[in-house]
Every structure is written in C-alpha cells, then in structure tokens.
Amino acid sequence: MEKGLSKNTFSLYKHSFALRRKELEDNPAVVCFELRLTSPLVVGMGDQNIHEFGITLQYPWGTPLIPGSAVKGALSSFAHRNGDTDWQKSALAADGVAGKNSRVMFGGGDEEGRANGGFLDFLDAWWVPKTTSPFKRDIITVHNGPYYRGEDGAWPDGIESPIPNGFIVVAPEECFFFSIRGEKGWRELAKKMLVKLGAECGFGAKTRVGYGRFKYKYTSHEVAVRIKAMKADELKAFLEEKNGFPSDQQDAFTEKAQELPYEKRLDELFHRYCPVKAFLGRLEEASVSSWQDVSTIYKQLKKRLRTEVDTRDPLVQQIFALCEPLAGEQQRKDREMWLWKYAPAAVDYLTGRSTDEICNFLLEYNQAYPPLADFAEAIKSLEADGKSEKEMLEYWEMGMDELNLEVNKK
C-alpha cells in the first residue's frame, strides 16, 4: 500500500471523484468543502483485517475514506462534550433524551421515547486525488510484551526488547472532500463545527496522541476575499506561510497592490503586481540624489514596467517629478529614452480633478516640465463651464505671477 495506487486505478478513481464532486457542488442543498490533514490519519483501525491493524478503504479502488457515519458520530460526540444540554446525545444522556439541537442535526430520542431522524445527511468524505501514494507506514512499538501477555513472573521493568508493529496511515497533507446535505442554516453550522472538530480533536483512531487533525482548505474564492480584507501585517504573514504568491490569486494580489501604500517589507508584492508603485516607492526609500541612483532603480524594475505608460496616473507623475530634476544634459537631449515616456502633458495633471483641486494645484505648481505656461491651453481643453474656466485661468495667472512669468492673454 505504501507504493500507492496503480495508474489505471488512480485514473478510474480520479474520474469517479470528479463526477461525484460536480454532482454535489451543483446541488443547492449540499455544502461542500475540503479539509487538509496536518497529521497522520487512520480510520477503522479496529476493523477486522488480515493484519493486526485495520484501515477503512473505499471499494473498489482501495482509496482512503471517512464514512459519513464516522463523520456524524464524531461530530455528535464533539457537540455533546462541548455544547450545553441542547446538544446532548440521547445515547449519552441519563434520561435517553437528545437535546433539541442534537435532535435536529443528528437525530435521537425525544421526551416521549420516539426516535427522530436528523435533518442533515453527512455523506462519505472522499479522498482528493492529487498523488497516487496517499499512504505511509507508521509504527506502534510495544514495550514489556511478556507482562501484557500475562506471562508468569513478568514485570513492566523495561528490560525486554521493544517490538515495533507497523501499520498503514493516510499521510499528512492529503485532503478529503466533505459534503453535508440539508437545510442551509443547519448545514452551514455543521460545517463550522466540523472544521473546529478537525482542528481540535481530529477523526479516526489515536486522536489523543495527535492523529487525524485537519485544517480547513479555503477555496480560491474564499482566499481572494481574505486577501482583499488583509492589512499589511496579515498579508506579510500570509505570504510567509504560503512561501510566495499562490498562482490562482493574481487578480486579488493586483487589487491589493493597487490599494496598499508602498512598504519596503511588501516590496515583492508591488514589484510583481504594481511595478510603477514599486518604482516610486524605491525612489523615495532611497532618497535619490543623482541620475545614477535613478538609473540603478529603473534597471531593477525595467522588465516589469510596462512599455506603454499612462501619464495620467498620479504615480507616473510623481516618478517624473522626482526624476526629471536629476536628469543631465544627455538625458534631456535624448527624447527617446524612458524618462520622457513618463513625462505628462499639462492636461494629464488636470484630468479627473475638480475645479477647486485644479486651482490649488496651479498655485502650488513649481515643476520645470511641463512649463506652467502650457496649462492655459490645457484648461481651455477641459470643456468646463464658463465660470469654472474663468476661475481656473485666474488661478493660473496668479501662479504665473508667483513665478514672475509673463502671461500671454491672446
């Protein structure tokens, strides 16, 4: 079993699993989810077997399985131990009466001695086929064998040789596909309880020594929602846990990179998904003071940066404002170099701004390029109403006066 399934068996099982998964996920009355093993799992260890230890396998493929009855039994016991009287199992209650919540979810005896069926169906949890070798060998080592066999004079003094006994388990990192059918509110509650049960108590045998523990495996959509809600600290921890950027979350990372302000600790995020913000962030982080500094940072990001630059982007405008004053005579002459692709026209600074924002901008503008003189024509091209245009032109004239520039009013 350690060698795993044959290629034909694996292929047949994979096909059957895909059909079952689609059928259940398409059923609006069923909630489906995956749990990932964080420790070895062995279900059915006490079942009859030609070996000393048993394990539950699914006919006819011989694949791992957690029967629905085992899922239901483990969850009802978990609820009985951790809940109030509303969750008590009839089999464990002194009066044989199940709590009202337990009767709804699992079934059980009522006050009149009638047996009730639960409102939910706990279906078999199928193994998710990712590899042909879901099994591994584990060992239980028996100490003091003669003592436990009842041999005369034997004593558990530890001087007897220990005897290792091998048995098969499902390996950590394997996943199981769980499904619960029934009323939405109750099946969603059962799902939450199952996730908690898997993390805290586990399924199968040897749970007291840590076997059978599971961790919830978020769907791609759920991960995307989580990423979008994360703060910088949470995102950093998430990336460290995943050891990188999951390939199915490109859109979520792109949105997050555009939303968050640049931070050096998340530089790789911006480098990959918003390189123009990484460019600006690195320029500001380095407090660039020479064209050589600018050129070094640009070369680091050149392959990621787009060849087509949107000069209406405030990030692009800030990059140009930082870099242009450091350009030398050679860079100013060569209008084909990358710097001039980042050069906004006057109208680019005004597009998307309100009249008040444009007026304040014109008063504070102090860049050499584009010259403030260019903004008169840019204002007229905005197709603003007459009053707004007149106000903006007045502020433009005040800005020109501040810089002691001549105003051409033709």
Side-chain angles (χ1 to χ4, degrees):
M1 289 182 69
E2 293 172 87
K3 295 180 180 179
L5 310 173
S6 69
K7 289 183 179 180
N8 287 340
T9 300
F10 181 75
S11 177
L12 289 170
Y13 176 77
K14 191 173 182 180
H15 177 69
S16 298
F17 175 82
L19 292 176
R20 176 183 173 83
R21 181 169 201 151
K22 185 178 187 311
E23 178 187 2
L24 292 174
E25 288 182 337
D26 289 347
N27 188 335
V30 177
V31 61
C32 303
F33 56 99
E34 286 187 28
L35 297 182
R36 176 178 59 83
L37 273 171
T38 58
S39 64
L41 169 74
V42 54
V43 176
M45 196 174 192
D47 292 348
Q48 289 185 349
N49 194 283
I50 59 172
H51 304 289
E52 187 170 350
F53 301 106
I55 183 171
T56 299
L57 301 175
Q58 186 170 13
Y59 180 83
W61 304 286
T63 49
L65 178 77
I66 306 177
S69 57
V71 175
K72 180 178 180 179
L75 186 60
S76 62
S77 296
F78 178 74
H80 178 88
R81 289 195 304 271
N82 295 279
D84 56 21
T85 55
D86 287 341
W87 288 102
Q88 69 178 2
K89 294 176 65 171
S90 56
L92 299 177
D95 57 2
V97 176
K100 61 180 182 180
N101 291 340
S102 185
R103 278 204 305 274
V104 172
M105 186 174 285
F106 310 110
D110 62 15
E111 292 83 353
E112 298 179 10
R114 296 174 300 188
N116 296 273
F119 282 15
L120 299 182
D121 293 327
F122 294 86
L123 307 180
D124 293 344
W126 284 35
W127 166 66
V128 180
K130 301 290 186 183
T131 171
T132 59
S133 303
F135 303 107
K136 62 173 283 191
R137 180 173 290 274
D138 208 331
I139 293 174
I140 289 179
T141 301
V142 179
H143 296 262
N144 306 306
Y147 171 76
Y148 288 110
R149 288 195 297 269
E151 296 182 7
D152 290 340
W155 189 254
D157 50 17
I159 64 172
E160 298 290 338
S161 297
I163 302 174
N165 291 277
F167 63 103
I168 296 296
V169 297
V170 183
E173 300 304 321
E174 297 295 333
C175 296
F176 282 79
F177 180 74
F178 289 78
S179 45
I180 306 168
R181 181 169 52 215
E183 193 274 330
K184 183 177 181 179
W186 284 98
R187 69 175 186 256
E188 290 295 338
L189 175 60
K191 173 186 172 180
K192 291 180 181 179
M193 292 167 62
L194 266 176
V195 171
K196 189 175 179 67
L197 164 63
E200 295 181 4
C201 301
F203 293 91
K206 296 173 68 66
T207 53
R208 291 195 178 188
V209 290
Y211 282 59
R213 297 294 193 273
F214 283 90
K215 187 173 183 180
Y216 182 70
K217 185 179 179 182
Y218 290 93
T219 65
S220 180
H221 173 71
E222 288 172 331
V223 173
V225 171
R226 288 180 66 214
I227 289 172
K228 291 174 184 178
M230 287 177 183
K231 297 179 180 178
D233 289 340
E234 296 169 324
L235 184 58
K236 178 67 175 175
F238 173 82
L239 295 175
E240 289 175 352
E241 178 189 349
K242 299 295 183 182
N243 196 27
F245 299 85
S247 59
D248 61 342
Q249 297 300 327
Q250 306 302 306
D251 290 345
F253 287 128
T254 299
E255 184 176 326
K256 203 64 186 176
Q258 292 171 348
E259 172 198 325
L260 289 174
Y262 177 83
E263 291 188 39
K264 187 175 182 180
R265 59 182 173 164
L266 291 174
D267 181 78
E268 185 61 24
L269 170 74
F270 299 107
H271 186 180
R272 286 170 177 256
Y273 300 102
C274 191
V276 69
K277 187 177 286 188
F279 191 10
L280 177 61
R282 291 186 189 185
L283 290 170
E284 293 176 336
E285 189 78 24
S287 300
V288 289
S289 57
S290 69
W291 182 255
Q292 183 61 43
D293 295 339
V294 171
S295 182
T296 298
I297 293 173
Y298 175 76
K299 289 176 182 177
Q300 293 170 353
L301 292 161
K302 183 178 179 180
K303 291 183 179 180
R304 291 277 183 181
L305 292 167
R306 295 178 179 177
T307 54
E308 297 296 325
V309 180
D310 182 4
T311 51
R312 295 168 299 177
D313 185 345
L315 296 173
V316 171
Q317 295 170 5
Q318 291 177 67
I319 289 171
F320 183 78
L322 276 174
C323 298
E324 189 272 338
L326 301 176
E329 184 177 350
Q330 180 181 350
Q331 288 81 36
R332 295 183 186 281
K333 286 181 179 179
D334 183 7
R335 292 289 166 149
E336 296 300 316
M337 74 167 302
W338 68 264
L339 174 65
W340 301 106
K341 292 181 180 179
Y342 284 72
V347 71
D348 292 332
Y349 285 100
L350 307 183
T351 302
R353 295 176 186 254
S354 67
T355 299
D356 289 342
E357 289 172 335
I358 290 174
C359 291
N360 291 331
F361 170 81
L362 293 169
L363 280 180
E364 298 171 359
Y365 188 75
N366 58 5
Q367 294 175 212
Y369 187 93
L372 185 59
D374 290 358
F375 282 86
E377 290 301 321
I379 291 170
K380 294 173 184 177
S381 71
L382 293 177
E383 300 182 356
D385 62 77
K387 181 180 178 181
S388 297
E389 181 177 304
K390 182 180 178 181
E391 183 181 0
M392 289 186 284
L393 287 171
E394 288 174 353
Y395 273 82
W396 170 73
E397 290 179 13
M398 285 190 281
M400 294 287 283
D401 290 342
E402 286 284 330
L403 297 175
N404 296 316
L405 297 174
E406 183 178 347
V407 176
N408 185 353
K409 296 187 177 180
K410 292 183 181 180

